[in-house]
Every structure is written in C-alpha cells, then in structure tokens.
C-alpha cells in the first residue's frame, strides 16, 4: 500500500488452505482487509489467482499465486457514532487507546453499530478510507486493554508488517483457575474447532500459535499470569491456557465447568460465579513507531474489576 491508496500485494496459497474457497483463502492471507471488500475485488478482477479472474466460491490449489492490485475506497456504510473512547496516545500516524470490556471492536452480523470502530469514525473521520477503519488487531468483546489503530496508509502498512514479523510486543494479565508451578511457552497448531463453529482449538494441523506466560502472583486456588503473544490467533490466550488446564476465570467458551474450591467463603464463591467476563486484560503494548522507527511502549493498570476480584482472592 502506498500513500495514494493503491494496494499491490502477492501471496501463495499454503498447503493448509488448499481446496478452500477463493474468498476464504483471501481473507486468511490478506487479513488486513474485510472479507466483503476482498469479495468485491475478486468479482472485479482486482484480485486474481494465477493471473485469472475467478469466482469467490472457486476452490484453489496449494501454490496458487494470488495477486491483489486495487485502489482503496471508502470501506462500506459504517456509521460514525459518538461513543466515548479512552485515548492513551495519538499523533498523526497512530492512535493508542484503552478498550473497555463489553465493547465490540468491529461491526459484524448482529453488531452493526455501537462498536469501537463506530466511535473511532466519529472521533477520527479520516479512518473511513483505511482498511478496517485503521484497525490492525483486535481484542475480544470482553477482553479489556490496549490497542493501536493506524491513521494513515503508511502507518497501516507498517503496523501490519510488524504484526506479521512478530515484532509487536503485547502483554496481558490473565486471572486463571489453578496455580501453575512455573511459567512456560505454549507452542501448538491452531485453528477452528471442527465440532463448534464459534470456538478455536488446538489441532494436529493448522497455523502455528505461540504463547508465553510467567506467574505474576499465586493465590490459594488461582493465579495471575503475565502472558505475552508471539502470534495473534483468534482466542489464542484463552484456548492455550485452557489447553494447559488453567482456564481464565469467567471465560464462557473455554472456562469449562464452574468447579470452585470447597474451602472458600460464600462471598468469594459468589464473586467468582458472577464475574461477568473472561478475566483478561492487555496491559502493555510495544511497537516501532511507523514514522520515526522509534521504539514506543505504553502501559496501563490492571482493569478495576479484575483488581477487585484479586483483592477477594487474597482474603
């Protein structure tokens, strides 16, 4: 992508995506763009497969060369909404903000409005012409914490490249059930759960997923983990910690049965049972500034609801 809004990218279909639909493969390989936008580019011939214009439903073989040559236009009919934002830093290239738990990042089926993107378009109207409104990574609806948003095509390209090269450092606090003996690195293959379309899973084959954690604080039956991501798969931290039998407190998808220790007070039992979200908070973000190349880092305190629950665990 260059400053005029022209996009010129190429990717080859990897073995693990062979036989999938053209539009699904494109969404995986060019994930900085929305699937609907990629479908339009396929239909218009701006996105080709081995130099041919195909249909979105056509299946592609491994090794097929995808070539994208297009000019960015306004990304659909998203509406600007006056949604309060907690901006931590802003300059002409990037916006760093604290996303609160309960806020969906991007409009989708069932959530056409009231999202972080709608609020960003109100505060920063220039984002309407950027891929996904400048959003280069996401947090789940009920995960709180730091996110970075691009304000220009140059910044967008830089941030996407840094994420692809795994040079962006993201640290999270996760309050989990169980007490790990020590930290570790979790390295697995990862993908969509074949038995549950809303879930991700550790698989025998799939994309590589790498998560590191250390134990920041131990409680009697729980622990606060400092987690860092080397890759950024959907639900990666939640799936990996559950896979190691340390599910995140309050996680509705991966938390398993709400088995609570028998030796705790009734008030703590109620606090754990009623915690309204997964106790996961992105507290630190480090990246190279897209314009200056300077290493920049931001850090925020742990979310208030998690801090309050931790005080109860220390009783």
């Amino acid at each position: 992508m260059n400053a005029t809004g022209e996009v010129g990218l190429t990717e080859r279909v990897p073995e693990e995506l062979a036989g999938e639909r053209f539009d699904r493969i494109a969404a995986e390989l060019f994930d900085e763009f929305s699937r609907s936008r990629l479908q339009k580019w396929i239909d218009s011939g701006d996105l080709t497969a081995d130099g041919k214009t195909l249909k979105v439903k056509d299946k592609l073989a491994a090794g097929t060369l995808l070539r994208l040559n297009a000019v960015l236009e306004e990304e659909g009919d998203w509406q600007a909404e006056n949604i309060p934002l907690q901006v931590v830093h802003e300059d002409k290239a990037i916006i760093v903000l604290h996303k609160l738990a309960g806020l969906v990042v991007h409009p989708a089926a069932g959530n056409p409005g009231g999202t972080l993107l709608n609020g960003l378009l109100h505060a920063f109207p220039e984002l309407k012409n950027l891929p996904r409104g400048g959003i280069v990574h996401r947090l789940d609806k009920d995960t709180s914490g730091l996110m970075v948003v691009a304000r220009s095509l140059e910044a967008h390209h830089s941030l996407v490249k840094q994420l692809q090269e795994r040079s962006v450092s993201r640290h999270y606090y996760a309050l989990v059930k169980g007490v790990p003996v020590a930290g570790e690195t979790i390295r697995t293959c990862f993908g969509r759960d074949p038995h549950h379309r809303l879930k991700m899973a550790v698989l025998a084959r799939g994309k590589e997923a790498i998560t590191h954690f250390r134990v920041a604080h131990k409680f009697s039956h729980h622990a606060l983990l400092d987690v860092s991501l080397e890759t950024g798969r959907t639900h990666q931290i939640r799936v990996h910690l559950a896979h190691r039998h340390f599910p995140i407190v309050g996680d509705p998808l991966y938390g398993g049965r709400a088995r609570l220790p028998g030796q705790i007070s009734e008030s703590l039992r109620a606090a754990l049972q009623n915690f309204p979200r997964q106790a996961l908070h992105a507290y630190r973000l480090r990246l190279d500034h897209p314009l200056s190349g300077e290493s920049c880092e931001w850090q925020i305190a742990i979310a208030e609801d998690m801090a309050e629950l931790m005080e109860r665990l220390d009783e």
Side-chain angles (χ1 to χ4, degrees), residues 23 119 148:
D23 59 341
V148 61

Side-chain angles (χ1 to χ4, degrees), residues 1 31-34 37 72-73 75 78 93-97 105-107 116-118 120-121 124-138 147-160 163 290:
M1 285 175 287
D31 62 359
E32 63 264 48
F33 304 109
S34 68
R37 171 169 277 185
L72 289 175
E73 299 173 352
E75 175 92 31
W78 302 322
I94 60 174
I95 306 154
V96 177
L97 50 88
V105 169
H106 197 282
L116 176 65
L117 177 58
N118 298 108
L120 284 168
L121 291 176
F124 307 97
E126 70 273 16
L127 300 181
K128 66 182 180 181
N129 291 322
L130 295 181
R132 296 188 184 275
I135 293 172
V136 294
H137 68 120
R138 303 191 189 193
M147 288 183 58
V148 61
V149 178
R151 289 186 79 172
S152 68
L153 282 170
E154 181 182 4
H156 188 278
H157 179 69
S158 172
L159 293 174
V160 169
L163 287 164

Side-chain angles (χ1 to χ4, degrees), residues 29-314:
L29 298 182
F30 304 112
D31 62 359
E32 63 264 48
F33 304 109
S34 68
R35 189 162 179 171
S36 60
R37 171 169 277 185
L38 290 165
Q39 288 171 336
K40 291 178 181 178
W41 283 336
I42 292 171
D43 289 338
S44 66
D46 292 321
L47 177 53
T48 60
D50 283 340
K52 301 175 183 178
T53 298
L54 302 179
K55 296 180 180 179
V56 295
K57 295 182 179 180
D58 286 341
K59 309 294 178 64
L60 303 184
T64 301
L65 179 65
L66 304 191
R67 187 179 300 278
L68 175 59
N69 290 294
V71 177
L72 289 175
E73 299 173 352
E74 188 169 330
E75 175 92 31
D77 58 355
W78 302 322
Q79 300 300 311
E81 298 179 38
N82 188 9
I83 297 172
L85 302 176
Q86 293 197 9
V87 176
V88 175
H89 167 87
E90 66 172 284
D91 57 45
K92 63 181 181 180
I94 60 174
I95 306 154
V96 177
L97 50 88
H98 176 188
K99 187 195 84 68
L100 301 181
L103 184 62
V104 175
V105 169
H106 197 282
N111 290 292
T115 72
L116 176 65
L117 177 58
N118 298 108
L120 284 168
L121 291 176
H122 181 270
F124 307 97
E126 70 273 16
L127 300 181
K128 66 182 180 181
N129 291 322
L130 295 181
R132 296 188 184 275
I135 293 172
V136 294
H137 68 120
R138 303 191 189 193
L139 295 176
D140 295 335
K141 174 185 175 183
D142 289 325
T143 297
S144 55
L146 292 170
M147 288 183 58
V148 61
V149 178
R151 289 186 79 172
S152 68
L153 282 170
E154 181 182 4
H156 188 278
H157 179 69
S158 172
L159 293 174
V160 169
K161 184 177 181 182
Q162 289 183 57
L163 287 164
Q164 291 173 340
E165 294 177 348
R166 304 179 182 179
S167 61
V168 175
S169 175
R170 293 165 287 170
H171 280 256
Y172 298 72
Y173 281 132
L175 186 60
V176 302
K177 304 174 189 177
V179 185
V181 175
E184 66 173 289
T185 294
I186 307 171
R187 185 189 303 265
T188 70
C189 292
F190 203 87
R192 184 71 58 183
D193 189 324
H195 307 295
H196 194 312
R197 67 181 184 85
L198 296 180
K199 298 175 71 173
M200 307 301 288
V202 170
L203 303 174
R205 296 179 61 186
K207 293 184 175 182
E208 183 181 47
I210 304 172
T211 304
H212 310 277
F213 76 81
R214 67 175 183 85
V215 181
H217 189 86
K218 293 183 179 182
F219 303 93
S220 297
H221 307 284
H222 297 79
L224 181 69
L225 305 185
D226 185 331
V227 185
S228 62
L229 287 175
E230 193 167 324
T231 56
R233 311 302 178 198
T234 301
H235 298 177
Q236 179 176 317
I237 294 175
R238 298 164 64 188
V239 173
H240 268 173
L241 294 180
H243 179 65
R244 287 294 191 266
H245 307 294
F246 299 112
I248 296 175
V249 169
D251 192 331
L253 273 182
Y254 307 104
R257 293 184 179 180
R259 296 177 180 174
L260 298 176
Q263 311 92 307
I264 62 175
S265 68
E266 287 303 314
S267 62
L268 177 55
R269 183 181 302 274
L272 288 166
Q273 289 176 330
N274 296 324
F275 197 76
R277 66 176 183 105
Q278 63 260 11
L280 185 61
H281 178 73
Y283 78 92
R284 189 166 73 199
L285 174 69
R286 192 209 64 78
L287 53 86
D288 294 334
H289 194 276
L291 298 185
S292 68
E294 178 185 0
S295 179
C296 301
E297 182 175 302
W298 298 270
Q299 187 166 328
I300 56 175
I302 194 167
E304 290 184 10
D305 57 351
M306 290 176 60
E308 291 173 0
L309 182 57
M310 287 166 56
E311 288 181 5
R312 305 292 298 273
L313 292 173
D314 262 332

